[in-house]
Amino acid sequence: MEKYYTLEIPKTDRIPKLVAHLYAKMPEIESARARLITESYKETEALPVIMRRAKAFEHILDNIPIIIRENELIVGSTTIAPRGCQTYPEFSYKWLEEEFETVATRKADPFYIADQTKRELLEADAYWEGKTTSELATSLMAEETRKAIDHNIFTPGNYFYNGVGHVTVQYDKVLAVGYEGIIAQVEEELAKCDPGDRDYCTRSQFLQAVLISCRAVIRYALRYAELAEKEAAGCADGARKKELLQIASNCRRVPAKGATGFYEACQSFWFVQQLLQIESSGHSISPGRFDQYMYPYYKKDLEEGRLTREFAQELLDCIWVKLNDLNKCRDAASAEGFAGYSLFQNLIVGGQDRDGNDVTNDLSFMCITASKHVFLPQPSLSIRVWNKTPHALMLKAADLTRTGIGLPAYYNDEVIIPSLLNMGLTMEDAREYNIIGCVEPQKAGKTEGWHDAAFYNMCRPLELVFSNGYDKGEKISIETGRVEDMATFEEFYDAYKKQMNYNISLLVNADNAIDVAHATRCPLPFLSCMVDDCIKRGKTVQEGGAVYNFTGPQGFGIANMADSLYAIKKLVFEEKKVTLAEYKRALAMNYGQGFDEISAAEIATQIVREMEATGMKVDESQIAAMIATVMDTELPAEEKQKYEALRAMIDEVPKFGNDIEEVDMFARDVAYTYTRPLLHYQNPRGGQFQAGLYPVSANVPLGAQTGATPDGRLAHTPVADGVSPSAGKDVHGPTAAANSVSKLDHGIASNGTLFNQKFHPTALSGEKGLENFVALIRSYFDQKGSHMQFNVVDRETLLDAQKHPEKYAHLVVRVAGYSALFTTLSKSLQDDIIRRTEQGF
Amino acid sequence: MDYLQTKGRIFDIQRYSIHDGRGIRTICFLKGCVLRCKWCCNPESQEYAVQEMTVRGKTRVIGQDVTVAEVMETVEKDRPYYNRSGGGLTLSGGESLCQPEFARDLLRAAKAAGINTAMESMACAKWEVIGQILPYLDHYLMDIKHMNSAKHKAYTGKGNELMLENAGKIAAFRQTKLSIRVPVIPTFNDSIEEIRDIAVFADKLPGVEDIYLLPYHRLGQDKYEGLGRMYELPDILPPEPEHMQMLKKVVEANSKLRCQIGG
């Protein structure tokens, strides 16, 4: 018999109906949670915070409106409106009030909000003034840290405004023993508490808070059982009636008790997944190794003839749809950084067990099929790749990649496991890792990883080198000397490292302040009862209850900094073609390409500061006039030519991403300026900082906060994505780019690295295309790359490339005996390619 | 190791080539060709002389003299990809046989380094030239464009006798895998009869198992203008997918060959 079943199981008619229902309308903001938590908080002011959290959670679950959507087999919806979202005023709320009028019309992730909802939110929010985690965090930060944030050196906005999320809990435990099992365990721990114990107060309060939370969850499921029974009674359609009664029966059993079969396991999983996201607004609540913990239930049912593969697939598909039912409204700036309504619920298949055996099973394949059937962004499907990953699973994954959905992401066990060992995990735990959110590895049910702690813009400290610590006329960092006086590259690079180190210390301060704020104001008893060793230690994950504790802020702009520093090394210090003073002026003048409104405002601010410093008063109209003047300023032709000549020179300097040993090894060293210093810092939970190198989609908005860089990049254009080369700078194809990227030290960036590649569909066509594609991934991983994901370009992308060739300079179109960079072709031939693309594979 | 110093003239090295032989390959394009196919998508390959070509308004020098060792430095960079995919080095052109010593020594260097070799060629050269290359060649991707010598001459500048004769000899050598590739060019060879005749010929070659039908494309058209030349087939369109499928059926009905559309 085959070790696993690899054939594709067909999709049922139910799935497109569920998807259509979900996407019929713009998602909507609802007020129920905000109202309920506020009601509860008003009545619990005398209680310890942990108890207030539990009672609020209970009050929400007992009263929040519930709904069973048409055709659903798995139930549990956080909002009445499909894909709606609740709000979480305990973390922050002001931004939403400020965006009430624009949230429905903004470009990134709009949400509808009814006038009635606005009024209800305003009423609830009023209670939270001064009580949020974000306000406490601000007051905990050093003044220079707040300044650095104001000046966009880094942004810890994600956890500043929201819950933390970024966790994988013990789904397996809930599936096995249910919340009644957890309650029994907690009661046992409570019985051991002696009022004379040093930590009796906090421990016993925490354990009681867990009991309240678990009981609330059981009651919440029972509400669904009752609703299903009620709907069944009024249902004329016999088939649906049967389904509803089955739903009722499931919800009566789970998640209170252990699941007796696969269907119950699916429903139990879903309640955990959904309710974690009612307790807190943190995203990246990741299902993790779903194919592993669900498999025993699937296997048993299948063997005992209680389940068909077709029905199992339909249930998986239903869960995949439900994962897209959950939603979150972020502030406008964050929405751009996380564009696509994504909750980054990462679900990973394949890999090895704690003893190092491959664990691919039927469900690994069926999970990939589910993503193909449902064809929605959630879950963020991932696959673990190691030397013993079956080729069939790789081909199955590649077949999904070529649909253009951008899934799955591929992860390399051979790099990630050693890097986790290096961070103190045991071998067994490291082998069982899964991915959180985008690319962050951790051991499920034991880790509070704070994986997405901040975005740190590596380009900004270089700007501070040129400005000697000033930004917009204000001193915001240390002084590292005038660049005009720097005589060697070492001196210059050293100044960069000093600016990096100083700002990294402020980044740590920002994260730790937010960390303390969460522990103080929003400890999470429900989540904590599913993470070891909270129950034993008698405290939440926010207070250090987890076995493994990390903080992982992301650095980005590696490629820009590598190319920038290398260009300075070559042009200024080795070839002496330009001085640092000239470079500085060229950057300030945006290489003569004119100023946009942001630059003009920055320049005006600087002038105003200088004027005010001498005692002069400046009013609004003068500032506006100044901005207009700056924007209209036309540089003398001679000066403009000089900058253009400089940019042409920079263009000739070799760039990261082209498999040039010297440049790539230089980039490796530049990445260390971020990854190494971070390892020296500790967080308040008793854990260590660790670096990630990935930007989600923040490279665009944060690039907009960055001036011109010495690699020739113009002001406010996007910076490079993850560890990928700068857009359009890698011109020797995917193998050269992958070789360059693999030369970075991925092992030290133990919070994950992200490498994106774009392919034209011709590269993946046919069986041979898939084989070669798999070989490409394998070869990158042989060279110790950590992560890879792919966009297969579609017609729209190519149309965009016709309009913005500079963004797509690396896009190669290949046919036998011929290949060309798409952007170098004439319009009519590009149209030929676009037609070819539509013919697909 | 003198052969590593052999010099030759190339106009491009392209990595991650996946439609020219097995696996992920690096193609080295040798400059100079014996034929002048009217549809040629690499017209800058035809002249041996170093040329200038205008690409998007910029003048580029086409043609560079390099040693075998220099080419191998680039070829070596993708060794991990060859290992995983069964790929390697492919020589293309032009017609590689126009630079026999360089082609031979490049292939020899690759074999010595344990790298799989392939060559795209019309086999339009004296047998002695081909014979000394074959020991270093794993896969011969041979173009057969037409069975009618007069029509062949009209569209490519030369009759097909020598090439067809060489095809038989290469096949008889048996140490090198031989596959046949047919550029399918509307108005030249895209009829049922023309493709059938090629398939029947190829089927008789001992050891030949695969035939590739490569649909005409005009992606090289810009280059003619860049070289200051006229494109002689401005009015033909790439064949429709349905037509290609039909031709594939013709091949399969008239031979035992595996037929694939595209490289």
Side-chain angles (χ1 to χ4, degrees), chain A residues 73-147:
Chain A
L73 295 179
I74 305 289
V75 299
S77 294
T78 300
T79 51
I80 295 302
R83 285 199 305 145
C85 75
Q86 299 290 348
T87 71
Y88 301 75
E90 67 268 41
F91 297 105
S92 67
Y93 60 89
K94 284 193 180 130
W95 57 270
L96 180 58
E97 293 181 357
E98 283 160 13
E99 291 178 33
F100 270 169
E101 302 315 315
T102 51
V103 68
T105 51
R106 69 188 191 186
K107 230 164 92 189
D109 299 358
F111 281 83
Y112 170 75
I113 180 165
D115 287 342
Q116 167 81 3
T117 308
K118 288 180 197 168
R119 279 193 297 275
E120 288 168 357
L121 286 180
L122 282 173
E123 199 188 319
D125 290 352
Y127 172 78
W128 293 95
E129 172 89 47
K131 299 188 177 73
T132 62
T133 54
S134 52
E135 285 157 305
L136 180 60
T138 305
S139 68
L140 288 166
M141 281 178 205
E143 193 194 330
E144 47 270 48
T145 302
R146 290 201 292 266
K147 208 181 263 185

Side-chain angles (χ1 to χ4, degrees), chain A residues 2 22 66 103 123 131 163 180 219 223 272 276 353 359 379 389 440 474 595 646 722 833:
Chain A
E2 282 279 323
L22 209 54
I66 62 170
V103 68
E123 199 188 319
K131 299 188 177 73
E180 286 180 2
R219 284 203 302 278
R223 289 180 65 201
V272 180
L276 282 170
D353 63 15
V359 291
T389 297
E440 307 97 278
E474 190 181 353
F595 296 118
L646 173 60
I833 299 283

Side-chain angles (χ1 to χ4, degrees), chain A residues 387 651 658-661 732-739 743 759 762-765 768-769 771-780 782-783 805 812-820 822-830 832-833 835-836 839, chain B residues 12-27 29 41-42 55-56 58 74 76-87 92-93 120 181 212 214-223 237-241 260 262-263:
Chain A
N387 291 343
D651 211 34
N658 294 293
D659 207 359
I660 303 163
E661 186 73 6
H732 290 100
T735 58
N739 285 358
K743 285 179 208 155
F759 277 96
T762 50
L764 279 87
S765 61
K768 200 173 135 190
E771 291 285 352
N772 285 332
F773 178 70
V774 168
L776 176 79
I777 297 165
R778 289 280 196 189
S779 312
Y780 175 66
D782 285 344
Q783 299 180 79
V812 178
V813 176
R814 289 160 205 281
V815 289
Y818 171 93
S819 85
F822 180 80
T823 53
T824 64
L825 297 172
S826 66
K827 170 82 168 56
S828 66
L829 295 186
Q830 289 179 346
D832 262 17
I833 299 283
R835 270 194 294 278
R836 242 184 129 99
Q839 285 163 8
Chain B
D12 200 7
I13 297 179
Q14 184 198 300
R15 295 163 63 179
Y16 195 67
S17 170
I18 48 174
H19 298 290
D20 306 272
R22 189 173 164 218
I24 296 172
R25 312 193 70 88
T26 297
I27 303 195
F29 290 91
C41 66
N42 292 324
V55 182
R56 285 247 150 163
K58 281 188 187 161
T74 303
E76 281 283 357
K77 281 173 180 267
D78 281 351
R79 187 186 280 276
Y81 304 88
Y82 312 148
N83 288 347
R84 282 289 187 179
S85 67
S92 185
E120 296 173 342
R181 310 217 301 177
Y212 297 89
L214 310 179
Y216 165 77
H217 62 79
R218 48 187 175 181
L219 302 178
Q221 206 173 326
D222 291 344
K223 299 183 192 170
L237 293 171
E240 294 297 326
Q260 189 184 317

Side-chain angles (χ1 to χ4, degrees), chain A residues 460-733:
Chain A
R460 298 284 286 147
L462 189 65
E463 293 190 82
L464 294 173
V465 173
F466 277 101
S467 67
N468 199 11
Y470 282 75
D471 189 52
K472 303 186 189 81
E474 190 181 353
K475 183 170 182 294
I476 65 157
S477 187
I478 53 170
E479 290 181 22
T480 42
R482 285 165 23 97
V483 286
E484 292 84 346
D485 302 334
M486 294 180 185
T488 63
F489 176 71
E490 288 63 37
E491 214 177 311
F492 181 84
Y493 195 18
D494 198 46
Y496 178 67
K497 288 177 186 166
K498 282 185 182 141
Q499 290 290 354
M500 284 290 284
N501 289 342
Y502 174 75
N503 285 290
I504 286 170
S505 73
L506 300 185
L507 166 75
V508 167
N509 176 246
D511 274 341
N512 284 349
I514 298 167
D515 211 331
V516 170
H518 280 280
T520 311
R521 290 198 166 160
C522 282
L524 304 175
F526 175 58
L527 174 117
S528 299
C529 80
M530 294 173 281
V531 176
D532 278 345
D533 243 351
C534 291
I535 293 177
K536 286 247 165 66
R537 292 183 188 173
K539 54 184 174 182
T540 60
V541 293
Q542 289 71 32
E543 299 155 302
V547 174
Y548 300 116
N549 285 286
F550 298 107
T551 301
Q554 306 354 308
F556 66 97
I558 304 276
N560 300 95
M561 283 307 90
D563 290 345
S564 290
L565 289 161
Y566 193 74
I568 286 171
K569 182 171 183 257
K570 287 278 154 194
L571 296 177
V572 177
F573 294 102
E574 289 178 17
E575 296 167 11
K576 301 195 190 307
K577 284 182 174 161
V578 55
T579 65
L580 275 178
E582 287 167 325
Y583 228 128
K584 181 178 170 180
R585 178 146 175 89
L587 295 176
M589 303 311 283
N590 194 23
Y591 295 105
Q593 301 295 304
F595 296 118
D596 58 14
E597 212 164 327
I598 309 171
S599 303
E602 281 173 7
I603 293 167
T605 313
Q606 188 165 345
I607 298 170
V608 171
R609 271 183 203 286
E610 282 162 15
M611 288 166 73
E612 283 174 344
T614 62
M616 289 167 70
K617 286 242 183 302
V618 191
D619 66 30
E620 290 286 326
S621 66
Q622 283 173 291
I623 296 173
M626 245 183 261
I627 293 175
T629 314
V630 173
M631 284 181 74
D632 289 345
T633 307
E634 193 49 44
L635 285 177
E638 199 183 323
E639 193 176 346
K640 234 177 142 169
Q641 267 167 17
K642 215 172 85 185
Y643 297 142
E644 267 157 33
L646 173 60
R647 246 183 126 213
M649 258 192 274
I650 296 169
D651 211 34
E652 292 296 312
V653 177
K655 300 285 188 300
F656 175 65
N658 294 293
D659 207 359
I660 303 163
E661 186 73 6
E662 186 188 332
V663 186
D664 297 343
M665 292 317 279
F666 186 80
R668 181 182 173 99
D669 195 63
V670 171
Y672 281 139
T673 65
Y674 180 69
T675 54
R676 279 190 171 148
L678 258 187
L679 289 172
H680 299 303
Y681 292 98
Q682 308 283 318
N683 65 34
R685 288 167 282 116
Q688 193 182 355
F689 275 71
Q690 59 174 345
L693 298 171
Y694 64 88
V696 197
S697 52
N699 63 315
V700 179
L702 299 191
Q705 301 167 345
T706 309
T709 40
D711 56 344
R713 180 190 142 278
L714 295 178
H716 311 135
T717 57
V719 296
D721 161 27
V723 289
S724 314
S726 286
K729 298 296 180 198
D730 54 323
V731 294
H732 290 100

Side-chain angles (χ1 to χ4, degrees), chain B residues 176-212:
Chain B
T176 298
K177 179 181 157 78
L178 174 63
S179 301
I180 302 303
R181 310 217 301 177
V182 185
V184 178
I185 316 294
T187 72
F188 170 58
N189 67 356
D190 72 333
S191 72
I192 291 176
E193 295 72 27
E194 288 162 312
I195 294 297
R196 183 197 61 207
D197 290 352
I198 296 174
V200 168
F201 176 81
D203 199 25
K204 285 191 195 130
L205 296 169
V208 171
E209 291 171 351
D210 299 288
I211 187 164
Y212 297 89

